[in-house]
Amino acid sequence: LATLLKSAMNFNFRSDILSVVVQCMNSSCEEVSKSCCSAVCEVFRKDRQGDISLDAVKMISNMVKNRDFKGVKVGVIQSFSSLPLRVHQDEAEAAKLHEKANKKKRKRDREKAQIEDELKDASGTVDLTLLAKMQAETLHAITLTYFRILKSHGAGKNALHLLPVALEGLAKFSHLINIDTVEDLLEHLKGLLATVDELPLDASLNCILTSFSTLQGPGRELKIDQKEYVAPLYSQLSRICSSSTIQHTNLVLRCLNLAFLKRREFSNTRVAAFIKKLLTVAVHAPPYCSASMIAFARLLFHRYQGTHQLLENELDVVSSGKYSPFTEDPDYSNPFAAAAWELSALKFHIQPVVSKHAANASLLKNLQLPAESPDNVYKTMLNNTNNVYIPFKLSKKNHPLRASKQKSAKRQRQEYRFITPRETKSWHLKDF
C-alpha cells in the first residue's frame, strides 16, 4: 500500500489507502513504520495542489490526539518537516477573500465559469488561490498538533519524547505564523525555558532555536529583549562535553549563529563570556567538536572587536574581581578578569586542525570561508572520525641524526681522493 500510494497519489481510493498507511506509521514493526513514514513524506514533497497533504496531516493529527501521545513514535511527528509550506497565514486569508469574490462573479456568469474550470483541468496547472488555501489549513493543523505537545508537557502527560521534534518543526515553520500565534508560542517557550535544565539537551536547544527564529521572523515587531533566551543558551553549553550529548553540536552552532551573527549583540561582556565558555568546552570536547567551537570563537573575535582584550596578558589588563565561570547569567561572569589561556593549551593539541585553529585565533587571523566555517569544520572532522581517518602533516625538516650522518659522509668523501701523479723523467737512473 505504501508503494501504491507513492506511485499513484491520485488514485480513486486514495483516502482509504492513506488512512491505512497513516495508521501503520505508528506500527510496532520498525520496517513497516519506516516504509509508511517515508511514503507519507514523499507524498508531502510531490503534492503540487496540497489537497492530499491536507488529508494526510488531518489524519495524523487525529491519530495523535486520539492516542493522547501514548506510544506515538517520533517519526510520525517528524514527517511534518517534509511539507514544503511557503504561504504565510495572512497571505492565505487574503487568498480566501479573493476566492469569495471570484465565487460571486461565477454565480453571475455560470457558463463562463464552467468553461474556465474545464480549461484548468485540461491544462493541469496549479491553482495558486486553492494552493494557498490548502497550505493555510495544513499549517493550522500542524501548529495545533505542535501546541498540543507543548501543553501536554506542562500537564504531565507522556509527550517528552515528542517535544524535541515538535520544537524543531516550530522552528522551521515559525516564519509563516501570524503575530497572534507568535505571542502564544513565546509564552509557552518561556515556561519551558524556566525548567530548561530538567529537559533533555536536544529539547532545550530546540526550544532556544525556536525562540530565536520566531523573534527574528514574525516576532520582530514585538521588540522583546532577547536576553531571556541568551542566558539559557549560556547555561546549556557545558552539557555538550559528555559523550551522550556531543551529537547535538550542530544544533548548538545553529543557536549561536542566530544569537550572535544573525543579530547584533551590544554587550561585549556577554559575548566575551560566551567566548570563554566555548573555549572551555573546546578543551574537554572531542576534536570534531573542539575545532568547530574554536572556529565559532574566531568569528566572534572578528565581529566583536571589543572582545580582543581576552587575548592580552592578565597582568597588563586593569580589571576588578575574579572570573566566575559557574554563573548561569553571562552578564555576571566577569570574563575580562581572565585571559583566553585555553588557546595556548590547544595550540599543542594532537589534532592538527584543532592546533591550527587555536594558533590562528590567538593571532586574530580571519577564517577562510566557507571552507573553515564552523559547520563545515564539524561535518568534515566528524566524517573523518567515522571513517577512522587521521590527517597528518609531513615534516620537511631533516632529522638531526640524519644531518650529522650526511656531514660525516661528506668528510669521508674528502678523505678518499685518488690523485694521479705527474709523469717525471727518471734522472737518477741515467748515466752521465
Side-chain angles (χ1 to χ4, degrees):
L1 289 176
T3 308
L4 180 61
L5 182 64
K6 289 189 288 186
S7 59
M9 292 189 298
N10 296 319
F11 191 58
N12 294 334
F13 299 98
R14 75 178 183 197
S15 58
D16 299 331
I17 298 173
L18 193 59
S19 62
V20 176
V21 172
V22 167
Q23 292 295 327
C24 292
M25 288 175 69
N26 203 41
S27 175
S28 57
C29 181
E30 290 294 330
E31 295 182 0
V32 175
S33 177
K34 287 181 180 179
S35 62
C36 291
C37 289
S38 63
V40 172
C41 291
E42 189 169 350
V43 168
F44 287 158
R45 287 190 289 265
K46 290 184 178 180
D47 188 16
R48 297 179 60 193
Q49 197 63 52
D51 51 347
I52 307 175
S53 300
L54 179 60
D55 295 338
V57 167
K58 286 183 177 179
M59 290 179 185
I60 294 172
S61 300
N62 291 331
M63 181 187 69
V64 173
K65 182 181 177 181
N66 294 332
R67 288 179 176 270
D68 199 15
F69 311 106
K70 293 180 180 179
V72 178
K73 292 191 174 182
V74 176
V76 177
I77 307 299
Q78 203 168 13
S79 62
F80 288 158
S81 60
S82 301
L83 285 163
L85 299 180
R86 294 179 295 272
V87 179
H88 197 273
Q89 284 187 348
D90 297 335
E91 296 176 359
E93 291 178 1
K96 288 179 182 179
L97 295 175
H98 180 68
E99 186 181 3
K100 288 181 181 179
N102 288 337
K103 283 183 179 180
K104 291 180 180 179
K105 291 180 181 179
R106 288 182 179 182
K107 286 181 180 179
R108 297 172 187 172
D109 195 353
R110 294 183 179 179
E111 294 181 359
K112 187 178 179 180
Q114 289 178 359
I115 295 172
E116 289 179 356
D117 292 338
E118 290 176 359
L119 289 173
K120 283 182 181 179
D121 295 337
S123 62
T125 57
V126 178
D127 188 0
L128 297 179
T129 306
L130 183 60
L131 177 63
K133 179 184 176 182
M134 293 296 175
Q135 287 201 356
E137 293 181 3
T138 305
L139 181 62
H140 176 72
I142 290 172
T143 309
L144 189 62
T145 304
Y146 287 153
F147 270 90
R148 283 173 182 164
I149 295 173
L150 294 181
K151 292 180 180 179
S152 66
H153 175 70
K157 297 181 181 179
N158 298 323
L160 186 61
H161 64 292
L162 301 176
L163 188 59
V165 187
L167 291 168
E168 184 180 355
L170 284 171
K172 182 178 181 180
F173 300 118
S174 60
H175 64 284
L176 302 174
I177 302 173
N178 57 15
I179 195 68
D180 297 330
T181 312
V182 165
E183 293 178 355
D184 297 336
L185 175 60
L186 290 175
E187 288 182 3
H188 287 293
L189 292 176
K190 282 182 182 179
L192 289 174
L193 290 174
T195 59
V196 69
D197 293 330
E198 300 176 2
L199 298 174
L201 183 59
D202 54 347
S204 60
L205 291 175
N206 277 308
C207 184
I208 297 167
L209 182 65
T210 307
S211 304
F212 280 122
S213 58
T214 305
L215 288 172
Q216 295 178 14
R220 187 177 298 175
E221 300 176 359
L222 298 176
K223 296 181 180 179
I224 298 175
D225 186 14
Q226 299 189 13
K227 182 188 174 182
E228 300 177 359
Y229 310 100
V230 173
L233 177 60
Y234 179 79
S235 64
Q236 298 302 305
L237 287 177
S238 56
R239 296 175 63 181
I240 308 176
C241 298
S242 62
S243 59
S244 60
T245 57
I246 200 67
Q247 57 184 344
H248 305 304
T249 305
N250 196 16
L251 192 56
V252 173
L253 294 175
R254 290 174 61 190
C255 293
L256 291 170
N257 189 23
L258 289 175
F260 296 103
L261 300 183
K262 295 294 184 182
R263 57 179 285 270
R264 183 72 182 181
E265 179 60 59
F266 296 99
S267 175
N268 288 328
T269 304
R270 194 177 299 172
V271 180
F274 269 88
I275 291 175
K276 282 288 294 180
K277 182 72 76 172
L278 288 174
L279 296 179
T280 305
V281 172
V283 172
H284 300 89
Y288 55 87
C289 176
S290 179
S292 58
M293 293 297 169
I294 301 172
F296 197 88
R298 291 177 64 186
L299 289 176
L300 294 180
F301 276 130
H302 178 67
R303 183 174 174 82
Y304 302 95
Q305 297 182 0
T307 60
H308 292 178
Q309 186 179 344
L310 291 173
L311 300 176
E312 298 178 2
N313 192 355
E314 294 181 0
L315 300 177
D316 299 335
V317 176
V318 178
S319 60
S320 60
K322 295 182 180 180
Y323 171 60
S324 53
F326 301 108
T327 57
E328 296 183 357
D329 195 343
D331 293 340
Y332 298 103
S333 61
N334 196 14
F336 290 116
W341 59 267
E342 295 88 355
L343 292 175
S344 60
L346 290 167
K347 286 180 185 178
F348 302 98
H349 200 277
I350 191 172
Q351 177 63 250
V353 179
V354 178
S355 60
K356 179 183 176 182
H357 276 285
N360 291 337
S362 60
L363 296 174
L364 291 176
K365 290 185 178 180
N366 294 333
L367 287 168
Q368 296 179 0
L369 300 175
E372 290 185 348
S373 64
D375 295 332
N376 267 344
V377 170
Y378 173 71
K379 291 177 183 177
T380 304
M381 294 193 65
L382 182 62
N383 189 24
N384 293 342
T385 304
N386 294 333
N387 295 330
V388 199
Y389 171 72
I390 303 173
F392 62 93
K393 185 178 180 181
L394 291 174
S395 179
K396 296 182 180 180
K397 295 180 180 180
N398 293 327
H399 197 274
L401 296 178
R402 185 178 180 183
S404 62
K405 287 181 180 179
Q406 289 179 353
K407 290 180 181 179
S408 62
K410 287 182 180 178
R411 291 174 183 173
Q412 289 177 1
R413 291 194 200 103
Q414 291 176 0
E415 289 176 1
Y416 294 102
R417 288 183 180 180
F418 297 94
I419 302 172
T420 56
R422 291 183 300 174
E423 293 183 0
T424 57
K425 295 180 179 181
S426 55
W427 297 99
H428 61 286
L429 297 177
K430 288 184 178 182
D431 296 331
F432 292 98

